[in-house]
Amino acid sequence: MEEKIYSWFIKKGNILIHRNENCITFQLNNENEDFCWLTKSDTDEVIDILTMIAKQIWENPDYLRKPYTDRLYKIIDDNCHVWEIGDSQLLIKYDETEAVIKIKSIGNANLNIEVNQTVEIIQVLEQLNNQI
């Protein structure tokens, strides 16, 4: 299957997403801002792409499925959702003042996200997107 890299400019920043074997590589460029900002339509696009790639990985007969036993993220100040991904973190939160979803990575710029983490990220994005 041909590897595709999805890249687009969002309200503030740029996001690259592509499949990396059995993970999804997620790269955020926040253009010297603290967070990348996603509008409702930006978030819909991210959800669609993450869902499509996660499905491809899940349906691959060579993929070793890991059981989902417990929540993989924690919630910190300001209702911010945080995933530990390797030595890095992915943070997602809703900004009521700007009516956007803010997302950033701390640590490595390229996050290799596993399918179970991706499912949670999609669910959180959907939940937050309903607030916009």
Side-chain angles (χ1 to χ4, degrees):
M1 174 179 290
E2 178 183 328
E3 294 295 320
K4 293 183 180 182
I5 297 176
Y6 300 89
S7 174
W8 65 96
F9 289 92
I10 53 179
K11 184 167 183 171
K12 281 195 180 177
N14 178 269
I15 296 179
L16 273 79
I17 302 172
H18 68 92
R19 181 175 173 179
N20 183 3
E21 297 179 14
N22 290 328
C23 291
I24 297 173
T25 297
F26 201 76
Q27 182 179 357
L28 300 168
N29 178 356
N30 54 2
E31 298 177 352
N32 299 321
E33 296 285 333
D34 193 27
F35 282 84
C36 291
W37 292 18
L38 287 84
T39 63
K40 188 170 187 62
S41 62
D42 292 333
T43 305
D44 286 338
E45 289 182 53
V46 169
I47 290 168
D48 289 347
I49 292 168
L50 290 174
T51 301
M52 179 188 61
I53 297 172
K55 183 178 178 190
Q56 290 171 357
I57 294 169
W58 186 260
E59 291 177 348
N60 179 350
D62 296 330
Y63 173 64
L64 180 60
R65 297 177 179 172
K66 296 180 182 176
Y68 182 78
T69 56
D70 200 7
R71 187 170 77 178
L72 302 172
Y73 65 92
K74 59 185 172 190
I75 298 176
I76 60 171
D77 302 335
D78 297 335
N79 204 23
C80 185
H81 299 74
V82 180
W83 287 265
E84 301 289 333
I85 301 171
D87 294 337
S88 303
Q89 293 180 324
L90 177 67
L91 290 81
I92 300 176
K93 69 179 184 175
Y94 176 69
D95 184 316
E96 190 174 305
T97 306
E98 299 292 337
V100 295
I101 294 173
K102 292 186 173 182
I103 184 170
K104 78 173 179 178
S105 61
I106 297 175
N108 191 346
N110 293 322
L111 303 173
N112 287 318
I113 304 169
E114 295 179 1
V115 172
N116 286 339
Q117 292 170 317
T118 303
V119 171
E120 285 186 342
I121 291 166
I122 291 167
Q123 291 171 340
V124 167
L125 288 173
E126 287 175 336
Q127 174 192 5
L128 297 177
N129 209 25
N130 288 334
Q131 297 178 29
I132 297 178

